[in-house]
Amino acid sequence: MTRSPSVLRSALDLLSIRLVLKQIGLALLVFALYALWLRVPDASVIDVIASALLALIVLAVAGGGESTLILRLAGTARSPWRLLRGGLFLLAGVALWFAWTTLLDHMHGDDYLRAGYLNSRFPHSLRNFFSFAHIVLWLGWMWTALEWIGAGVIAVFVFAATVSSQPLRPMTRALSCLSYWIALVLGITAATVLTGSLIEWTPGHGLHVEMLSLVLRLSLAVLVDAAVVCLLLAILAVCVRRTDSLYSTPAGTPDESQPRTVDKP
């Protein structure tokens, strides 16, 4: 019996420069269409109709393009119905993301009251460590962690519902995959820190040098962020593929590489 490779190694086999460039190209196309949609006036009925049609085009390109990448990664056949369903689930995932972040922002507003109360409950000897500023900082880290955990759960739901008609099994496998959560935490942390550092840094050697530096820094940040997103999608694709292979062959039957019948002696 051969041992199957790890989830991360299989995901790295699926990851490629072509996939990352497709993800970046799709994001740039959606961004360009969105910028064009913002410039459409609404002075007349025709302008409103054109704005509504362009908004539908933006949603169709974003949902259909991302669904195509997801289905190709998972090795699932692409059909108009699957692309439509994937686009609808992506919209549902975006709505869930906004609802989750809005809820966290509402709860985040009382951090100063919580920090003051928690600081007052600690003994005087510990208040230097559990100070008001430290507790506010830790609460901010907690809300950020909850935000990205919610994003990870929503991503699993959208991916599994897009590629599978029975998404419960691949969702369960993906949510219990340690590699997915490690890649999510490390990848998002690295992308956030690196992107922030690249955006805030300026060379300070004139306008032309700063403009060239800005283009290079933005390109590197986009490349890193897209690579992290594609790695997470590849891990989810591996989880879906292994779930499908696990339940595609009934228990007790021989593998496809072995003969199902033998010659009689």
Side-chain angles (χ1 to χ4, degrees), residues 2-228:
T2 59
R3 184 179 179 181
S4 59
S6 63
V7 173
L8 184 59
R9 182 179 301 177
S10 301
L12 291 176
D13 292 337
L14 292 177
L15 192 63
S16 63
I17 298 296
R18 184 178 181 182
L19 175 63
V20 176
L21 293 179
K22 286 182 178 179
Q23 186 68 58
I24 295 175
L26 177 62
L28 293 177
L29 177 60
V30 173
F31 176 78
L33 292 175
Y34 178 73
L36 179 62
W37 175 70
L38 291 178
R39 298 183 64 85
V40 175
D42 54 355
S44 63
V45 178
I46 297 179
D47 293 336
V48 174
I49 294 175
S51 178
L53 291 177
L54 185 56
L56 293 177
I57 292 175
V58 173
L59 294 177
V61 171
E66 195 64 35
S67 298
T68 302
L69 293 179
I70 289 175
L71 291 172
R72 183 173 298 175
L73 263 179
T76 307
R78 296 177 294 278
S79 64
W81 162 244
R82 288 184 180 273
L83 294 177
L84 176 61
R85 187 179 66 178
L88 293 177
F89 277 114
L90 284 171
L91 291 178
V94 172
L96 289 174
W97 165 252
F98 278 114
W100 178 244
T101 54
T102 302
L103 177 61
L104 292 180
D105 288 339
H106 177 72
M107 300 174 64
H108 181 66
D110 297 330
D111 279 358
Y112 290 105
L113 296 177
R114 295 189 184 96
Y117 173 77
L118 293 174
N119 176 257
S120 65
R121 303 303 296 177
F122 283 100
H124 183 74
S125 58
L126 296 178
R127 289 182 184 179
N128 289 331
F129 181 75
F130 294 97
S131 63
F132 178 84
H134 288 169
I135 295 176
V136 170
L137 178 63
W138 296 337
L139 287 175
W141 290 350
M142 182 189 70
W143 297 123
T144 302
L146 290 176
E147 183 178 348
W148 288 116
I149 289 173
V153 174
I154 293 172
V156 170
F157 162 72
V158 172
F159 195 101
T162 300
V163 303
S164 178
S165 58
Q166 297 179 352
L168 184 59
R169 288 173 178 172
M171 282 181 60
T172 303
R173 187 179 184 92
L175 290 175
S176 60
C177 179
L178 184 60
S179 298
Y180 173 70
W181 293 110
I182 293 177
L184 178 67
V185 173
L186 296 182
I188 294 299
T189 302
T192 302
V193 173
L194 181 61
T195 301
S197 301
L198 289 174
I199 297 301
E200 294 176 359
W201 177 74
T202 53
H205 295 288
L207 179 61
H208 297 289
V209 176
E210 290 183 1
M211 291 299 297
L212 178 60
S213 173
L214 178 62
V215 172
L216 295 177
R217 286 183 283 118
L218 286 177
S219 301
L220 180 58
V222 169
L223 184 62
V224 171
D225 294 345
V228 171

